[in-house]
Every structure is written in C-alpha cells, then in structure tokens.
PDB file of all heavy atoms in Angstrom:
ATOM      1  N   SER M  12     -13.004  10.996   9.040  1.00  0.00           N
ATOM      2  CA  SER M  12     -12.206  10.005   9.766  1.00  0.00           C
ATOM      3  C   SER M  12     -10.890  10.563  10.302  1.00  0.00           C
ATOM      4  O   SER M  12     -10.149   9.840  10.972  1.00  0.00           O
ATOM      5  CB  SER M  12     -11.921   8.808   8.857  1.00  0.00           C
ATOM      6  OG  SER M  12     -11.116   9.211   7.762  1.00  0.00           O
ATOM      7  N   LYS M  13     -10.579  11.843  10.046  1.00  0.00           N
ATOM      8  CA  LYS M  13      -9.320  12.433  10.519  1.00  0.00           C
ATOM      9  C   LYS M  13      -9.338  12.551  12.045  1.00  0.00           C
ATOM     10  O   LYS M  13     -10.366  12.854  12.639  1.00  0.00           O
ATOM     11  CB  LYS M  13      -9.100  13.815   9.902  1.00  0.00           C
ATOM     12  CG  LYS M  13      -8.970  13.820   8.391  1.00  0.00           C
ATOM     13  CD  LYS M  13      -7.753  13.110   7.900  1.00  0.00           C
ATOM     14  CE  LYS M  13      -6.612  14.054   7.756  1.00  0.00           C
ATOM     15  NZ  LYS M  13      -5.398  13.410   7.258  1.00  0.00           N
ATOM     16  N   ASP M  14      -8.164  12.320  12.672  1.00  0.00           N
ATOM     17  CA  ASP M  14      -8.096  12.404  14.130  1.00  0.00           C
ATOM     18  C   ASP M  14      -8.024  13.842  14.627  1.00  0.00           C
ATOM     19  O   ASP M  14      -8.381  14.123  15.764  1.00  0.00           O
ATOM     20  CB  ASP M  14      -6.928  11.565  14.683  1.00  0.00           C
ATOM     21  CG  ASP M  14      -5.563  12.053  14.248  1.00  0.00           C
ATOM     22  OD1 ASP M  14      -5.450  12.690  13.184  1.00  0.00           O
ATOM     23  OD2 ASP M  14      -4.584  11.777  14.964  1.00  0.00           O
ATOM     24  N   LYS M  15      -7.568  14.759  13.802  1.00  0.00           N
ATOM     25  CA  LYS M  15      -7.497  16.178  14.160  1.00  0.00           C
ATOM     26  C   LYS M  15      -8.375  16.983  13.206  1.00  0.00           C
ATOM     27  O   LYS M  15      -8.252  16.869  11.992  1.00  0.00           O
ATOM     28  CB  LYS M  15      -6.058  16.697  14.068  1.00  0.00           C
ATOM     29  CG  LYS M  15      -5.072  16.019  14.996  1.00  0.00           C
ATOM     30  CD  LYS M  15      -5.186  16.567  16.377  1.00  0.00           C
ATOM     31  CE  LYS M  15      -4.115  15.981  17.271  1.00  0.00           C
ATOM     32  NZ  LYS M  15      -4.103  16.557  18.568  1.00  0.00           N
ATOM     33  N   HIS M  16      -9.283  17.757  13.738  1.00  0.00           N
ATOM     34  CA  HIS M  16     -10.130  18.691  12.993  1.00  0.00           C
ATOM     35  C   HIS M  16     -10.884  18.055  11.824  1.00  0.00           C
ATOM     36  O   HIS M  16     -10.828  18.554  10.692  1.00  0.00           O
ATOM     37  CB  HIS M  16      -9.300  19.885  12.518  1.00  0.00           C
ATOM     38  CG  HIS M  16      -8.435  20.446  13.590  1.00  0.00           C
ATOM     39  ND1 HIS M  16      -8.950  21.091  14.694  1.00  0.00           N
ATOM     40  CD2 HIS M  16      -7.089  20.411  13.758  1.00  0.00           C
ATOM     41  CE1 HIS M  16      -7.952  21.454  15.492  1.00  0.00           C
ATOM     42  NE2 HIS M  16      -6.824  21.041  14.950  1.00  0.00           N
ATOM     43  N   PRO M  17     -11.601  16.955  12.078  1.00  0.00           N
ATOM     44  CA  PRO M  17     -12.379  16.353  10.989  1.00  0.00           C
ATOM     45  C   PRO M  17     -13.486  17.301  10.528  1.00  0.00           C
ATOM     46  O   PRO M  17     -13.954  18.148  11.293  1.00  0.00           O
ATOM     47  CB  PRO M  17     -12.970  15.093  11.634  1.00  0.00           C
ATOM     48  CG  PRO M  17     -13.026  15.412  13.100  1.00  0.00           C
ATOM     49  CD  PRO M  17     -11.838  16.293  13.361  1.00  0.00           C
ATOM     50  N   CYS M  18     -13.880  17.160   9.278  1.00  0.00           N
ATOM     51  CA  CYS M  18     -15.003  17.909   8.697  1.00  0.00           C
ATOM     52  C   CYS M  18     -14.832  19.425   8.791  1.00  0.00           C
ATOM     53  O   CYS M  18     -15.806  20.163   8.974  1.00  0.00           O
ATOM     54  CB  CYS M  18     -16.327  17.488   9.336  1.00  0.00           C
ATOM     55  SG  CYS M  18     -16.681  15.737   9.167  1.00  0.00           S
ATOM     56  N   THR M  19     -13.589  19.897   8.684  1.00  0.00           N
ATOM     57  CA  THR M  19     -13.327  21.330   8.622  1.00  0.00           C
ATOM     58  C   THR M  19     -12.543  21.621   7.356  1.00  0.00           C
ATOM     59  O   THR M  19     -11.849  20.754   6.824  1.00  0.00           O
ATOM     60  CB  THR M  19     -12.530  21.829   9.852  1.00  0.00           C
ATOM     61  OG1 THR M  19     -11.300  21.108   9.949  1.00  0.00           O
ATOM     62  CG2 THR M  19     -13.330  21.672  11.139  1.00  0.00           C
ATOM     63  N   TRP M  20     -12.662  22.855   6.881  1.00  0.00           N
ATOM     64  CA  TRP M  20     -11.929  23.281   5.696  1.00  0.00           C
ATOM     65  C   TRP M  20     -10.496  23.569   6.066  1.00  0.00           C
ATOM     66  O   TRP M  20     -10.212  24.137   7.117  1.00  0.00           O
ATOM     67  CB  TRP M  20     -12.591  24.513   5.067  1.00  0.00           C
ATOM     68  CG  TRP M  20     -13.927  24.192   4.483  1.00  0.00           C
ATOM     69  CD1 TRP M  20     -15.149  24.469   5.010  1.00  0.00           C
ATOM     70  CD2 TRP M  20     -14.178  23.503   3.257  1.00  0.00           C
ATOM     71  NE1 TRP M  20     -16.139  23.987   4.201  1.00  0.00           N
ATOM     72  CE2 TRP M  20     -15.571  23.389   3.104  1.00  0.00           C
ATOM     73  CE3 TRP M  20     -13.349  22.963   2.268  1.00  0.00           C
ATOM     74  CZ2 TRP M  20     -16.163  22.773   2.005  1.00  0.00           C
ATOM     75  CZ3 TRP M  20     -13.936  22.353   1.175  1.00  0.00           C
ATOM     76  CH2 TRP M  20     -15.333  22.260   1.051  1.00  0.00           C
ATOM     77  N   ASP M  21      -9.583  23.188   5.188  1.00  0.00           N
ATOM     78  CA  ASP M  21      -8.156  23.345   5.452  1.00  0.00           C
ATOM     79  C   ASP M  21      -7.456  23.768   4.160  1.00  0.00           C
ATOM     80  O   ASP M  21      -8.084  23.873   3.114  1.00  0.00           O
ATOM     81  CB  ASP M  21      -7.584  22.013   5.975  1.00  0.00           C
ATOM     82  CG  ASP M  21      -6.363  22.193   6.866  1.00  0.00           C
ATOM     83  OD1 ASP M  21      -5.759  23.283   6.870  1.00  0.00           O
ATOM     84  OD2 ASP M  21      -5.993  21.220   7.550  1.00  0.00           O
ATOM     85  N   THR M  22      -6.144  23.973   4.271  1.00  0.00           N
ATOM     86  CA  THR M  22      -5.369  24.349   3.096  1.00  0.00           C
ATOM     87  C   THR M  22      -5.562  23.299   2.007  1.00  0.00           C
ATOM     88  O   THR M  22      -6.010  22.181   2.264  1.00  0.00           O
ATOM     89  CB  THR M  22      -3.874  24.490   3.424  1.00  0.00           C
ATOM     90  OG1 THR M  22      -3.429  23.331   4.097  1.00  0.00           O
ATOM     91  CG2 THR M  22      -3.595  25.708   4.270  1.00  0.00           C
ATOM     92  N   SER M  23      -5.181  23.656   0.803  1.00  0.00           N
ATOM     93  CA  SER M  23      -5.375  22.785  -0.358  1.00  0.00           C
ATOM     94  C   SER M  23      -4.811  21.395  -0.134  1.00  0.00           C
ATOM     95  O   SER M  23      -5.403  20.391  -0.512  1.00  0.00           O
ATOM     96  CB  SER M  23      -4.677  23.384  -1.581  1.00  0.00           C
ATOM     97  OG  SER M  23      -4.957  24.748  -1.736  1.00  0.00           O
ATOM     98  N   CYS M  24      -3.651  21.349   0.488  1.00  0.00           N
ATOM     99  CA  CYS M  24      -2.959  20.097   0.753  1.00  0.00           C
ATOM    100  C   CYS M  24      -2.103  20.301   1.988  1.00  0.00           C
ATOM    101  O   CYS M  24      -1.454  21.339   2.128  1.00  0.00           O
ATOM    102  CB  CYS M  24      -2.092  19.742  -0.453  1.00  0.00           C
ATOM    103  SG  CYS M  24      -1.080  18.272  -0.232  1.00  0.00           S
ATOM    104  N   CYS M  25      -2.116  19.342   2.880  1.00  0.00           N
ATOM    105  CA  CYS M  25      -1.287  19.461   4.080  1.00  0.00           C
ATOM    106  C   CYS M  25      -0.990  18.076   4.622  1.00  0.00           C
ATOM    107  O   CYS M  25      -1.751  17.138   4.412  1.00  0.00           O
ATOM    108  CB  CYS M  25      -1.967  20.317   5.140  1.00  0.00           C
ATOM    109  SG  CYS M  25      -3.639  19.806   5.578  1.00  0.00           S
ATOM    110  N   GLY M  26       0.129  17.979   5.312  1.00  0.00           N
ATOM    111  CA  GLY M  26       0.478  16.693   5.888  1.00  0.00           C
ATOM    112  C   GLY M  26       1.778  16.761   6.652  1.00  0.00           C
ATOM    113  O   GLY M  26       2.497  17.765   6.626  1.00  0.00           O
ATOM    114  N   HIS M  27       2.059  15.696   7.333  1.00  0.00           N
ATOM    115  CA  HIS M  27       3.254  15.597   8.158  1.00  0.00           C
ATOM    116  C   HIS M  27       4.493  15.256   7.344  1.00  0.00           C
ATOM    117  O   HIS M  27       4.398  14.606   6.305  1.00  0.00           O
ATOM    118  CB  HIS M  27       3.061  14.516   9.230  1.00  0.00           C
ATOM    119  CG  HIS M  27       2.048  14.884  10.256  1.00  0.00           C
ATOM    120  ND1 HIS M  27       0.754  14.448  10.188  1.00  0.00           N
ATOM    121  CD2 HIS M  27       2.144  15.655  11.366  1.00  0.00           C
ATOM    122  CE1 HIS M  27       0.081  14.927  11.233  1.00  0.00           C
ATOM    123  NE2 HIS M  27       0.900  15.677  11.952  1.00  0.00           N
ATOM    124  N   VAL M  28       5.613  15.681   7.869  1.00  0.00           N
ATOM    125  CA  VAL M  28       6.914  15.297   7.326  1.00  0.00           C
ATOM    126  C   VAL M  28       7.309  14.023   8.065  1.00  0.00           C
ATOM    127  O   VAL M  28       7.382  14.014   9.303  1.00  0.00           O
ATOM    128  CB  VAL M  28       7.962  16.413   7.547  1.00  0.00           C
ATOM    129  CG1 VAL M  28       9.329  15.972   7.052  1.00  0.00           C
ATOM    130  CG2 VAL M  28       7.516  17.708   6.875  1.00  0.00           C
ATOM    131  N   ASP M  29       7.515  12.953   7.341  1.00  0.00           N
ATOM    132  CA  ASP M  29       7.902  11.687   7.962  1.00  0.00           C
ATOM    133  C   ASP M  29       9.341  11.751   8.469  1.00  0.00           C
ATOM    134  O   ASP M  29      10.150  12.562   7.999  1.00  0.00           O
ATOM    135  CB  ASP M  29       7.763  10.534   6.967  1.00  0.00           C
ATOM    136  CG  ASP M  29       6.314  10.195   6.665  1.00  0.00           C
ATOM    137  OD1 ASP M  29       5.421  10.525   7.465  1.00  0.00           O
ATOM    138  OD2 ASP M  29       6.074   9.584   5.598  1.00  0.00           O
ATOM    139  N   SER M  30       9.664  10.880   9.398  1.00  0.00           N
ATOM    140  CA  SER M  30      11.013  10.833   9.959  1.00  0.00           C
ATOM    141  C   SER M  30      12.053  10.664   8.860  1.00  0.00           C
ATOM    142  O   SER M  30      11.911   9.809   7.986  1.00  0.00           O
ATOM    143  CB  SER M  30      11.124   9.683  10.960  1.00  0.00           C
ATOM    144  OG  SER M  30      12.409   9.661  11.544  1.00  0.00           O
ATOM    145  N   GLY M  31      13.064  11.532   8.868  1.00  0.00           N
ATOM    146  CA  GLY M  31      14.137  11.462   7.895  1.00  0.00           C
ATOM    147  C   GLY M  31      13.834  12.132   6.568  1.00  0.00           C
ATOM    148  O   GLY M  31      14.696  12.206   5.696  1.00  0.00           O
ATOM    149  N   GLU M  32      12.639  12.634   6.397  1.00  0.00           N
ATOM    150  CA  GLU M  32      12.207  13.247   5.147  1.00  0.00           C
ATOM    151  C   GLU M  32      12.461  14.764   5.196  1.00  0.00           C
ATOM    152  O   GLU M  32      12.435  15.368   6.256  1.00  0.00           O
ATOM    153  CB  GLU M  32      10.698  12.985   5.007  1.00  0.00           C
ATOM    154  CG  GLU M  32      10.110  13.117   3.656  1.00  0.00           C
ATOM    155  CD  GLU M  32       8.654  12.658   3.619  1.00  0.00           C
ATOM    156  OE1 GLU M  32       7.887  12.921   4.575  1.00  0.00           O
ATOM    157  OE2 GLU M  32       8.270  12.042   2.618  1.00  0.00           O
ATOM    158  N   THR M  33      12.673  15.386   4.043  1.00  0.00           N
ATOM    159  CA  THR M  33      12.789  16.846   3.982  1.00  0.00           C
ATOM    160  C   THR M  33      11.402  17.449   3.781  1.00  0.00           C
ATOM    161  O   THR M  33      10.464  16.758   3.359  1.00  0.00           O
ATOM    162  CB  THR M  33      13.688  17.291   2.814  1.00  0.00           C
ATOM    163  OG1 THR M  33      13.040  16.938   1.584  1.00  0.00           O
ATOM    164  CG2 THR M  33      15.081  16.668   2.900  1.00  0.00           C
ATOM    165  N   TYR M  34      11.284  18.737   4.052  1.00  0.00           N
ATOM    166  CA  TYR M  34      10.019  19.429   3.800  1.00  0.00           C
ATOM    167  C   TYR M  34       9.640  19.342   2.328  1.00  0.00           C
ATOM    168  O   TYR M  34       8.478  19.096   1.994  1.00  0.00           O
ATOM    169  CB  TYR M  34      10.129  20.902   4.223  1.00  0.00           C
ATOM    170  CG  TYR M  34      10.094  21.131   5.724  1.00  0.00           C
ATOM    171  CD1 TYR M  34      11.267  21.341   6.436  1.00  0.00           C
ATOM    172  CD2 TYR M  34       8.887  21.174   6.420  1.00  0.00           C
ATOM    173  CE1 TYR M  34      11.239  21.578   7.810  1.00  0.00           C
ATOM    174  CE2 TYR M  34       8.846  21.410   7.789  1.00  0.00           C
ATOM    175  CZ  TYR M  34      10.025  21.605   8.478  1.00  0.00           C
ATOM    176  OH  TYR M  34       9.986  21.840   9.834  1.00  0.00           O
ATOM    177  N   ASP M  35      10.606  19.555   1.422  1.00  0.00           N
ATOM    178  CA  ASP M  35      10.310  19.534  -0.016  1.00  0.00           C
ATOM    179  C   ASP M  35       9.806  18.172  -0.479  1.00  0.00           C
ATOM    180  O   ASP M  35       8.844  18.087  -1.257  1.00  0.00           O
ATOM    181  CB  ASP M  35      11.546  19.921  -0.831  1.00  0.00           C
ATOM    182  CG  ASP M  35      11.912  21.398  -0.709  1.00  0.00           C
ATOM    183  OD1 ASP M  35      11.112  22.190  -0.155  1.00  0.00           O
ATOM    184  OD2 ASP M  35      13.011  21.752  -1.168  1.00  0.00           O
ATOM    185  N   ILE M  36      10.435  17.115  -0.010  1.00  0.00           N
ATOM    186  CA  ILE M  36      10.001  15.756  -0.381  1.00  0.00           C
ATOM    187  C   ILE M  36       8.600  15.486   0.171  1.00  0.00           C
ATOM    188  O   ILE M  36       7.737  14.930  -0.515  1.00  0.00           O
ATOM    189  CB  ILE M  36      11.004  14.691   0.122  1.00  0.00           C
ATOM    190  CG1 ILE M  36      12.365  14.868  -0.540  1.00  0.00           C
ATOM    191  CG2 ILE M  36      10.460  13.283  -0.066  1.00  0.00           C
ATOM    192  CD1 ILE M  36      12.387  14.612  -2.033  1.00  0.00           C
ATOM    193  N   ALA M  37       8.360  15.918   1.407  1.00  0.00           N
ATOM    194  CA  ALA M  37       7.043  15.717   2.017  1.00  0.00           C
ATOM    195  C   ALA M  37       5.957  16.462   1.241  1.00  0.00           C
ATOM    196  O   ALA M  37       4.849  15.946   1.059  1.00  0.00           O
ATOM    197  CB  ALA M  37       7.054  16.161   3.475  1.00  0.00           C
ATOM    198  N   ALA M  38       6.267  17.677   0.772  1.00  0.00           N
ATOM    199  CA  ALA M  38       5.278  18.452   0.017  1.00  0.00           C
ATOM    200  C   ALA M  38       4.859  17.707  -1.248  1.00  0.00           C
ATOM    201  O   ALA M  38       3.663  17.581  -1.541  1.00  0.00           O
ATOM    202  CB  ALA M  38       5.832  19.830  -0.320  1.00  0.00           C
ATOM    203  N   ALA M  39       5.821  17.210  -1.993  1.00  0.00           N
ATOM    204  CA  ALA M  39       5.504  16.474  -3.220  1.00  0.00           C
ATOM    205  C   ALA M  39       4.734  15.192  -2.908  1.00  0.00           C
ATOM    206  O   ALA M  39       3.753  14.859  -3.592  1.00  0.00           O
ATOM    207  CB  ALA M  39       6.789  16.158  -3.983  1.00  0.00           C
ATOM    208  N   ARG M  40       5.164  14.465  -1.883  1.00  0.00           N
ATOM    209  CA  ARG M  40       4.489  13.212  -1.517  1.00  0.00           C
ATOM    210  C   ARG M  40       3.047  13.472  -1.083  1.00  0.00           C
ATOM    211  O   ARG M  40       2.106  12.803  -1.544  1.00  0.00           O
ATOM    212  CB  ARG M  40       5.260  12.506  -0.391  1.00  0.00           C
ATOM    213  CG  ARG M  40       4.587  11.218   0.096  1.00  0.00           C
ATOM    214  CD  ARG M  40       5.312  10.574   1.274  1.00  0.00           C
ATOM    215  NE  ARG M  40       5.597  11.461   2.377  1.00  0.00           N
ATOM    216  CZ  ARG M  40       4.690  11.892   3.280  1.00  0.00           C
ATOM    217  NH1 ARG M  40       3.414  11.528   3.171  1.00  0.00           N
ATOM    218  NH2 ARG M  40       5.053  12.685   4.268  1.00  0.00           N
ATOM    219  N   GLU M  41       2.854  14.451  -0.201  1.00  0.00           N
ATOM    220  CA  GLU M  41       1.507  14.747   0.293  1.00  0.00           C
ATOM    221  C   GLU M  41       0.587  15.220  -0.837  1.00  0.00           C
ATOM    222  O   GLU M  41      -0.579  14.837  -0.890  1.00  0.00           O
ATOM    223  CB  GLU M  41       1.555  15.797   1.415  1.00  0.00           C
ATOM    224  CG  GLU M  41       2.091  15.271   2.727  1.00  0.00           C
ATOM    225  CD  GLU M  41       1.157  14.285   3.421  1.00  0.00           C
ATOM    226  OE1 GLU M  41      -0.043  14.198   3.077  1.00  0.00           O
ATOM    227  OE2 GLU M  41       1.637  13.586   4.338  1.00  0.00           O
ATOM    228  N   PHE M  42       1.117  16.047  -1.724  1.00  0.00           N
ATOM    229  CA  PHE M  42       0.314  16.523  -2.850  1.00  0.00           C
ATOM    230  C   PHE M  42      -0.167  15.336  -3.687  1.00  0.00           C
ATOM    231  O   PHE M  42      -1.344  15.250  -4.052  1.00  0.00           O
ATOM    232  CB  PHE M  42       1.138  17.497  -3.706  1.00  0.00           C
ATOM    233  CG  PHE M  42       0.314  18.328  -4.646  1.00  0.00           C
ATOM    234  CD1 PHE M  42      -0.175  19.564  -4.255  1.00  0.00           C
ATOM    235  CD2 PHE M  42       0.032  17.872  -5.922  1.00  0.00           C
ATOM    236  CE1 PHE M  42      -0.933  20.337  -5.130  1.00  0.00           C
ATOM    237  CE2 PHE M  42      -0.724  18.638  -6.800  1.00  0.00           C
ATOM    238  CZ  PHE M  42      -1.210  19.873  -6.404  1.00  0.00           C
ATOM    239  N   GLN M  43       0.749  14.422  -3.974  1.00  0.00           N
ATOM    240  CA  GLN M  43       0.396  13.238  -4.764  1.00  0.00           C
ATOM    241  C   GLN M  43      -0.605  12.366  -4.015  1.00  0.00           C
ATOM    242  O   GLN M  43      -1.609  11.925  -4.595  1.00  0.00           O
ATOM    243  CB  GLN M  43       1.657  12.432  -5.100  1.00  0.00           C
ATOM    244  CG  GLN M  43       1.411  11.266  -6.029  1.00  0.00           C
ATOM    245  CD  GLN M  43       0.994  11.715  -7.418  1.00  0.00           C
ATOM    246  OE1 GLN M  43       1.613  12.583  -8.009  1.00  0.00           O
ATOM    247  NE2 GLN M  43      -0.056  11.130  -7.950  1.00  0.00           N
TER     248      GLN M  43
END
C-alpha cells in the first residue's frame, strides 16, 4: 500500500521527518 516503491526491500526502518521535528526524534518515532 506504500505510495513510493511498494513491495521492495528497504532499510530496516525509514521514514519522513515531520514538520518541526528533529532527525533524532523522527528516528525514534519511526522505529517505534
């Protein structure tokens, strides 16, 4: 159901940084 590159292998965890968020906060949020 992903809009970009569905059904392909990717890094263990990945995601966007939301507006106003830091990279570090986004990493923890996406992992969870």
